[in-house]
Amino acid sequence: MLLSRRLCILPSATGLLNYHSVVSEGSAVASHQTSATPLPYDQLPGDWKKGWSSLYHFWKKDGFKNIHHLMVENYQRFGPIYRETLGTQNSVYIQHPEDAAALFLVEGIHPERLRVQPWYEYRDFRNKRYGVLLKSGEEWRCQRLMLNREVLSVSGMHRFLPLLDNVGQDFVRRVYSQVERSGRGKWTADLTNELFRFALESVSYVLYGQRLGLLQDYINPESQEFIDSVTTMFHTTSPMLYIPPRLLRLINSSIWKNHVKAWDSIFNHADRCIQGIYSSLRHRSDNTYAGVLSSLLLQDKLPLEDIKASITELMAGGVDTTAITLQWAMYELARAPAIQEKLRSEILAARAASGNDLAALLKRIPLVKAALKETLRLHPVAITLQRYTRKDTVIRNYMIPKGTLVQVGLYAMGRNPDIFTFPERFSPARWLGQESTHFRGLSFGFGPRQCLGRRIAEMEMQLFLVHVLENFKIETNRMVEVESTFNLILFPTRPIQLTLSPLSLNSSEGHS
């Protein structure tokens, strides 16, 4: 009964296969680890005895921005498992895939990941409902099942694919117009803001069924404010993972004030979009798919305020995350022209075989999907994947007590030569070979608590690369190395200048 309840949460056959992989790999790990008496929790290596002193040294090392690099150093210093306390946060860190499998094996039917305390504090401060991202227990499970059917199922994907494709085509048209204006036959720019606009346009269209017009020359100031607010929200969240947000609230810290202002703007933007949906629903005369929010409202199976809260969280999480990943992907492809050409050949063959069938097209581009997985290996959106243990658990022959926060170091895993051969190389083909990839590609999480917006993000990024690569050559200065900085997600430390050159100068519309 427990197994059947768990499997009903997994959204796809892939999830089911991964579950069996967890059972087999996790059981093997557990068997190996329990061959000797487990060592006590207090014998874990690491700096965990002086939380506030450690936080001070962490701050002195600019840890709020370099935490991903410091994690790599800690793994090199302490080994594959270590314990760390920073301020009020105590965690056990692991990075090997088999250890991640052991962790997921005991996550239960109500898995819990890191509580992003400043997000709870803001909602309590403003008396707003928690969305499914912040909920827990049976209430989380019931609402998550409903939302899974809407945004993670195959039928859900087929509904929003045309919307994402439409935005991708408009981005191509915008690039052609910029090329024409440049008078140089190509367009060179830092595409950060352009990609943010593309991502917001895409996620807004899927969630609200409305275009915001962000791929035009003039951008609505309210939409630009939303983009800026999401960036500020991420930036101010990072320090409050270690410093209690309630303390910053009591002293009226600028970090707290800016965090509140950013979330206020995010919720106000969502409210405006939702009001537009209400208006359009009253005048609808057909059954055309009008986005996730409309579908949920028409089903009338979730409380209105819960729908609004979850949709707002999806909106906030669906801009910077995909925009930055696409920027990293274009950067890596520009530095690897041979790989870029292989992707382009695959796309052209898939287009010829699939015609206008978008689902069939996406089934025929495994290398494009692998390029995105490889991008997320090198530049993961989240540098760790977290779970609170649901019972006493043995990992690496250490007894981890129930309720402990265990974090899988995704950035460190991706850079570990014991896990990935030549980890510094951008090599999408590594995901298509004979090597096992189980629990090595965890950028969207795993199991019932995996990223709710996963399918939207994957389809959005895959279609973006399809449209861009079949129309443009991507170039950059290959001698310029760009590092990353942590602001809850990994951002480039400097602007990335990219050049887009049309493959056919005689076309103003391209292949889209």
Side-chain angles (χ1 to χ4, degrees), residues 5-18:
R5 287 184 70 197
R6 177 171 182 149
L7 292 183
C8 77
I9 303 176
L10 297 176
S12 65
T14 302
L16 183 57
L17 290 172
N18 284 343

Side-chain angles (χ1 to χ4, degrees), residues 7 13 24 52 59 68-69 74 84 91 105 126 130 155 159 163 177 200 267 275 278 313 340 447 479 508:
L7 292 183
S24 58
W52 291 105
W59 173 73
H68 50 307
H69 298 305
N74 283 336
E84 182 176 59
S91 298
L105 184 65
R126 290 294 197 217
Y130 298 162
S155 59
R159 286 195 297 268
L163 308 185
S177 70
L200 178 53
F267 272 91
Q275 289 303 318
Y278 289 151
E313 290 172 359
Q340 185 180 154
M479 301 302 292
S508 61

Side-chain angles (χ1 to χ4, degrees), residues 265-407:
S265 176
I266 291 168
F267 272 91
N268 289 338
H269 185 275
D271 284 341
R272 287 192 294 270
C273 290
I274 290 168
Q275 289 303 318
I277 291 293
Y278 289 151
S279 176
S280 64
L281 282 177
R282 288 196 298 268
H283 299 95
R284 279 190 65 184
S285 57
D286 57 36
N287 293 321
T288 304
Y289 182 66
V292 173
L293 179 61
S294 290
S295 180
L296 291 172
L297 290 174
L298 290 171
Q299 291 175 47
D300 196 26
K301 293 181 180 179
L302 289 175
L304 174 60
E305 291 303 315
D306 287 328
I307 292 174
K308 289 172 61 176
S310 293
I311 292 294
T312 301
E313 290 172 359
L314 274 170
M315 188 78 169
V319 179
D320 286 46
T321 49
T322 52
I324 292 298
T325 300
L326 287 173
Q327 189 172 35
W328 284 122
M330 295 173 76
Y331 167 74
E332 295 292 352
L333 289 172
R335 290 159 53 85
I339 295 175
Q340 185 180 154
E341 284 303 318
K342 288 182 180 179
L343 264 64
R344 187 172 289 113
S345 297
E346 179 185 75
I347 290 167
L348 293 176
R351 180 73 79 180
S354 306
N356 294 324
D357 188 335
L358 294 173
L361 171 69
L362 294 185
K363 288 179 181 178
R364 292 184 168 96
I365 53 169
L367 191 60
V368 171
K369 296 175 183 179
L372 287 167
K373 291 189 75 169
E374 182 73 344
T375 299
L376 287 166
R377 176 186 71 83
L378 289 167
H379 314 282
V381 169
I383 61 172
T384 68
L385 179 59
Q386 324 87 22
R387 290 292 187 272
Y388 288 95
T389 52
R390 308 300 290 179
K391 61 181 181 180
D392 292 352
T393 307
V394 177
I395 301 178
R396 291 275 159 182
N397 210 40
Y398 287 96
M399 179 61 70
I400 312 299
K402 176 183 177 180
T404 302
L405 178 63
V406 180
Q407 303 201 48

Side-chain angles (χ1 to χ4, degrees), residues 222-242:
E222 293 175 345
S223 297
Q224 184 62 56
E225 180 186 353
F226 175 86
I227 294 172
D228 296 339
S229 295
V230 171
T231 301
T232 299
M233 181 271 291
F234 282 131
H235 179 74
T236 55
T237 295
S238 182
M240 287 192 284
L241 295 177
Y242 310 102

Side-chain angles (χ1 to χ4, degrees), residues 163-284:
L163 308 185
L164 294 172
D165 188 63
N166 186 270
V167 180
Q169 292 182 40
D170 281 354
F171 185 84
V172 166
R173 281 188 277 269
R174 176 161 177 78
V175 175
Y176 274 114
S177 70
Q178 296 292 339
V179 170
E180 187 175 348
R181 289 178 186 177
S182 74
R184 300 168 53 240
K186 56 187 177 182
W187 182 34
T188 300
D190 170 14
L191 297 180
T192 302
N193 199 48
E194 294 286 342
L195 291 172
F196 282 1
R197 289 162 67 168
F198 164 79
L200 178 53
E201 186 79 3
S202 297
V203 73
S204 175
Y205 202 15
V206 170
L207 295 180
Y208 301 119
Q210 296 178 341
R211 293 294 299 267
L212 299 178
L214 300 180
L215 299 182
Q216 302 171 6
D217 288 338
Y218 172 78
I219 179 172
N220 187 315
E222 293 175 345
S223 297
Q224 184 62 56
E225 180 186 353
F226 175 86
I227 294 172
D228 296 339
S229 295
V230 171
T231 301
T232 299
M233 181 271 291
F234 282 131
H235 179 74
T236 55
T237 295
S238 182
M240 287 192 284
L241 295 177
Y242 310 102
I243 304 171
R246 184 151 298 183
L247 172 62
L248 296 177
R249 175 180 164 184
L250 286 173
I251 66 174
N252 205 26
S253 161
S254 61
I255 294 175
W256 169 253
K257 288 191 292 186
N258 290 336
H259 191 71
V260 170
K261 183 179 179 182
W263 270 119
D264 284 347
S265 176
I266 291 168
F267 272 91
N268 289 338
H269 185 275
D271 284 341
R272 287 192 294 270
C273 290
I274 290 168
Q275 289 303 318
I277 291 293
Y278 289 151
S279 176
S280 64
L281 282 177
R282 288 196 298 268
H283 299 95
R284 279 190 65 184

